[in-house]
Amino acid sequence: VTVDKTGIKETQCLDEIRYDFTNIRNNSNTSLDNFIWHDSLPIETKLQKIYTGTWNENLTYKVSYKTNLNNNYKVFRDNLFTNQNYELDFTTINLQIDEYITDYIFEFGTVKAGFSQVESPFIFVKVNKYLKDGREFVNFTEVKGYYNEILVSATDSWKTIIYNKTIKPVKYPKTGE
């Protein structure tokens, strides 16, 4: 199995940034059971939206999430079709003041050899305010499945750095007066 993740290298507080996911696939020559794609979000960000992408096998799947205050996954959307690209708006979830989404998971069930995304999924997260200049945060992702109860998995990550330099305006002499 494989997965690749990319994003921007530098950001500022309160920016909305995008992470892209490619090469999510079952590269084996056999089907895999309990095939999932999981993403763990850095605490420096808040999940805004997921664009699910499309997939090359006709299946239904579900997307679930968990938060810092509840370690059990809660289903966000179920019975999604792999041939449709959905926009999942996570800002509509009623969370407590100090609660935030830490992880989400796509659960596909059993997939055939060669299962992969057609249109790549991507997400938007909003960067928290009051982060120090130079602070680094990392977003981790993984794909895994089982063959005869043997786990196969792949992981990737992306590091982003906070850039909070203030630029002082330069005063130029007035002309034409």
Side-chain angles (χ1 to χ4, degrees):
V1 294
T2 59
V3 61
D4 292 319
K5 178 177 200 158
T6 56
I8 62 168
K9 293 185 180 192
E10 289 184 331
T11 190
Q12 294 185 323
C13 294
L14 299 178
D15 280 352
E16 188 170 84
I17 61 174
R18 175 176 163 160
Y19 291 106
D20 291 283
F21 303 88
T22 56
N23 298 317
I24 300 172
R25 65 174 50 126
N26 172 10
N27 279 335
S28 69
N29 59 2
T30 187
S31 61
L32 294 175
D33 297 321
N34 301 318
F35 189 83
I36 63 109
W37 165 42
H38 165 249
D39 196 43
S40 180
L41 301 165
I43 63 171
E44 293 85 357
T45 64
K46 302 280 188 282
L47 181 61
Q48 303 295 297
K49 293 182 181 180
I50 297 176
Y51 292 83
T52 62
T54 58
W55 308 84
N56 69 349
E57 188 176 332
N58 190 18
L59 300 169
T60 60
Y61 64 100
K62 68 181 173 181
V63 176
S64 302
Y65 69 94
K66 66 180 180 177
T67 72
N68 62 316
L69 299 181
N70 186 351
N71 209 26
N72 297 319
Y73 280 98
K74 184 173 183 179
V75 175
F76 183 69
R77 291 280 303 273
D78 201 356
N79 294 316
L80 299 171
F81 297 103
T82 51
N83 63 350
Q84 293 182 28
N85 191 355
Y86 298 92
E87 176 189 292
L88 305 180
D89 187 352
F90 282 80
T91 63
T92 62
I93 298 174
N94 290 324
L95 299 173
Q96 296 180 34
I97 298 279
D98 57 347
E99 186 177 24
Y100 53 89
I101 296 170
T102 60
D103 298 77
Y104 64 86
I105 188 170
F106 283 45
E107 299 175 74
F108 294 99
T110 300
V111 299
K112 294 178 183 173
F115 174 77
S116 70
Q117 93 276 340
V118 176
E119 284 182 74
S120 295
F122 57 93
I123 67 169
F124 286 101
V125 298
K126 188 167 189 167
V127 179
N128 295 339
K129 57 184 174 179
Y130 306 123
L131 297 176
K132 283 183 120 180
D133 184 55
R135 180 171 179 159
E136 297 178 354
F137 56 89
V138 181
N139 187 302
F140 296 96
T141 195
E142 72 175 331
V143 173
K144 63 183 176 181
Y146 291 87
Y147 173 71
N148 289 336
E149 298 183 23
I150 298 170
L151 174 66
V152 292
S153 66
T155 61
D156 199 14
S157 62
W158 189 263
K159 180 173 69 172
T160 304
I161 300 170
I162 296 294
Y163 182 81
N164 280 336
K165 302 274 187 206
T166 53
I167 300 172
K168 295 179 182 174
V170 177
K171 287 191 174 189
Y172 293 103
K174 292 183 180 181
T175 59
E177 290 185 4

